[in-house]
Amino acid sequence: MGAILANGRRRDGAAAIHRKGLAVLEASIDAAPMSFPLSVLLLSLANPLPGSLAGPASLRAPLPVDGAGAWLAQKPAGALAPSLQGRPVVVDIYASWCPACRTIAPTLRSLAESQAGQATFVTFDVSDAATLKASRERARSLGLGAFLEANRSQTSLVAVIDPRNGTSVQTFRASTDAGAYVAAIGKARSMIRR
């Protein structure tokens, strides 16, 4: 079982192996150079960012989102494609396996009908590798490639975007509030007219 120590306590074999493993781990941590502080690594494990963690320069702070928190691209991508100019662009990140996406789909369909001519609706399907690949190609052609890459894991995210500069006017998460979408589209439309 375990050896009896001088103070009369038993030393379990598992505890000895555990201590030896910790010593090896500590030695390897001390010997390996770190490209970023340990605190950054620990924080990233508690709250992972989308994409890869290449170092502290790649860390981005979250932007406010209606509903659940999400990570969004901070830098505007620039003007969107000419075909999207003149009207707010409503972008939906959709996946067939996402329950929230299925819940908001009727609201977005109704909104697309009622706002026809007032806004452009774009859906990026990220359900699987094939649909994501097609969505990436379409996003790049529309000038929304950076937006999709930053938000592709945020299913049920809907953003109202100003096509002149690619910035989000308002972002929603799993919202079925058609009035809030209409208000955001109206706000974006007034910004475009300026």
Side-chain angles (χ1 to χ4, degrees), residues 80-89 120-122 142-144 163-164 192:
L80 302 185
S83 63
L84 298 178
Q85 293 302 314
R87 296 184 289 209
V89 180
T120 303
F121 288 78
V122 177
L142 295 174
L144 290 164
R164 298 171 305 155
I192 292 168

Side-chain angles (χ1 to χ4, degrees), residues 84-175:
L84 298 178
Q85 293 302 314
R87 296 184 289 209
V89 180
V90 180
V91 180
D92 174 26
I93 306 294
Y94 171 84
S96 59
W97 46 260
C98 169
C101 295
R102 290 191 299 268
T103 300
I104 66 172
T107 302
L108 294 176
R109 274 193 302 273
S110 172
L111 197 61
E113 289 174 14
S114 69
Q115 294 292 309
Q118 303 297 315
T120 303
F121 288 78
V122 177
T123 299
F124 292 124
D125 189 342
V126 297
S127 299
D128 56 39
T131 59
L132 176 59
K133 181 180 178 185
S135 290
R136 281 179 167 151
E137 290 170 11
R138 184 171 177 227
R140 275 192 293 274
S141 72
L142 295 174
L144 290 164
F147 178 85
L148 178 60
E149 288 308 311
N151 297 294
R152 65 189 171 103
S153 65
Q154 304 299 324
T155 57
S156 78
L157 182 135
V158 178
V160 178
I161 298 176
D162 182 343
R164 298 171 305 155
N165 53 23
T167 58
S168 294
V169 174
Q170 190 163 357
T171 307
F172 301 90
R173 189 71 186 269
S175 175

Side-chain angles (χ1 to χ4, degrees), residues 47-68:
N47 192 9
L49 298 172
S52 63
L53 180 62
S58 70
L59 293 178
R60 293 178 283 192
L63 294 176
V65 174
D66 296 279

Side-chain angles (χ1 to χ4, degrees), residues 39-54:
S39 60
V40 171
L41 175 63
L42 294 174
L43 287 173
S44 70
L45 293 174
N47 192 9
L49 298 172
S52 63
L53 180 62

